[in-house]
Amino acid sequence: MKNALFASRDSSPAINPISPARELGAYEEMWLQPGATFKNIAERFAKDPTALPSDFVAHSIADARAREVFQALKTAGDHGFGIRINHAGDYPERLRDAQHPVELLYYRGTWELSETRGVAVVGSRRASEEGLKRAARIARELVGAGFTVVSGLAAGIDTAAHRATLEAKGRTIAVIGTPLGVTYPKENAELQAQIASDYLLISQVPVLRYSKQAVPQNRLFFPERNITMSALTEATIIVEAGERDANPSARRASSTAEALHFGLLLRKIGHHLASHLRGAGGDPCEEVGRYLGRFG
């Protein structure tokens, strides 16, 4: 994090230095306040678009929280991580399109991958064998078309998409619903480590808040990360989102005509692709591949 120690709040020359550690600690402290959510934190920043987390938290408290976070991540084995802060450095402006934009992201790996053209592939944790095969085929088609495959490292469709991408020698980004130092599911520990080392692993989950609350409350971070994933990408493809799936965003999407017929939901470029698919009548994986070739 030392190479990001000073940055300006916009593209103009630096006037007020920004300490990433202090901003990290301040953001974590905001999350420790009773009733804190992505929505109400985003609303606080919306009232002052130039604000930084440290504008809301005493510096001494922010610095103490930062030390707690560093120790927690060090204990978890995450020594080489970075952060991205709104108004500083390489924070992705596309994230401001999210319903409740996050002010700070943790990451490990090659941040530049976030600037490549990406498509998210997500879906059921309890996918059928056919669903897993379809997710893998779609991932390979996306790699062949030059896209970065983005997913959430969950069991089922997410894992199939990540693994197929790596097998095809493509680029992948994982946006996880836990802090960097936590792996869920546990069996994806090796896959998560590989993505963090060779590609890009992103988390918007506050480390201290996550550690201080129970599993049922922490599950709420998963649908929120799906919103960030969507904002980072040009399209979202949902494969096999069933009624029993734990992903509420995917479950809602499965009610659309595209999801029911093809197991897909696409946004942005997907509006045109969905129209194309409806009239194609062929195998959806092959149609995705043919259509994405237009964007190469």
Side-chain angles (χ1 to χ4, degrees), residues 7 19 22 59-60 90 151 182 188 193 282 284-286 292:
S19 164
R22 177 167 291 167
H59 291 181
S60 59
D90 296 328
S151 197
V182 178
N188 274 354
C285 296
E286 294 177 2
L292 288 174

Side-chain angles (χ1 to χ4, degrees), residues 17-90:
I18 294 174
S19 164
R22 177 167 291 167
E23 300 307 328
L24 177 160
Y27 196 61
E28 290 277 348
E29 172 62 22
M30 293 179 74
W31 268 103
L32 291 176
Q33 300 307 303
T37 65
F38 284 107
K39 181 177 184 293
N40 59 38
I41 289 177
E43 288 171 347
R44 293 185 69 179
F45 284 98
K47 292 176 181 177
D48 183 358
T50 67
L52 288 162
S54 61
D55 292 324
F56 300 102
V57 177
H59 291 181
S60 59
I61 296 175
D63 294 345
R65 294 303 187 199
R67 290 191 291 271
E68 290 182 52
V69 172
F70 293 147
Q71 184 57 52
L73 291 176
K74 181 179 179 180
T75 300
D78 276 313
H79 302 279
F81 71 93
I83 62 172
R84 286 292 178 259
I85 309 163
N86 188 26
H87 303 308
D90 296 328

Side-chain angles (χ1 to χ4, degrees), residues 89-108:
D90 296 328
Y91 177 94
E93 282 302 313
R94 287 179 290 180
L95 284 185
R96 306 320 291 172
D97 294 333
Q99 183 179 13
H100 307 304
V102 295
E103 298 298 313
L104 184 145
L105 296 169
Y106 291 91
Y107 76 94
R108 288 185 60 197

Side-chain angles (χ1 to χ4, degrees), residues 130-279:
E130 176 58 32
L132 296 175
K133 290 178 180 178
R134 177 164 290 181
R137 290 179 61 191
I138 290 172
R140 288 192 292 268
E141 294 282 5
L142 290 167
V143 170
F147 286 86
T148 296
V149 176
V150 183
S151 197
L153 257 179
I157 296 300
D158 292 23
T159 298
H162 285 303
R163 291 194 185 283
T165 300
L166 297 181
E167 290 168 2
K169 309 300 182 185
R171 305 180 303 265
T172 192
I173 298 173
V175 184
I176 58 175
T178 65
L180 290 183
V182 178
T183 302
Y184 183 83
K186 295 292 186 183
E187 54 266 28
N188 274 354
E190 185 176 339
L191 179 60
Q192 179 166 315
Q194 181 181 2
I195 292 173
S197 173
D198 300 338
Y199 300 95
L200 180 59
L201 182 74
I202 296 174
S203 172
Q204 67 189 56
V205 180
V207 175
L208 302 181
R209 171 71 174 268
Y210 189 94
S211 68
K212 294 178 186 297
Q213 64 184 18
V215 171
Q217 287 74 42
N218 282 334
R219 285 175 179 161
L220 299 176
F221 288 121
F222 285 90
E224 293 289 347
R225 65 87 190 269
N226 295 336
I227 297 171
T228 296
M229 198 186 313
S230 178
L232 281 172
T233 56
E234 296 186 29
T236 298
I237 302 176
I238 295 180
V239 183
E240 262 193 16
E243 285 300 316
R244 296 180 58 195
D245 197 273
N247 181 336
S249 300
R251 190 165 61 243
R252 284 194 296 271
S254 70
S255 64
T256 67
E258 289 81 13
L260 285 172
H261 190 59
F262 294 111
L264 307 174
L265 175 70
L266 299 102
R267 59 184 291 277
K268 298 181 181 177
I269 66 170
H271 291 302
H272 304 289
L273 178 53
S275 175
H276 173 77
L277 287 173
R278 279 195 291 270

Side-chain angles (χ1 to χ4, degrees), residues 283-294:
D283 180 271
C285 296
E286 294 177 2
E287 297 300 332
V288 167
R290 280 197 287 270
Y291 190 82
L292 288 174
R294 303 181 186 182

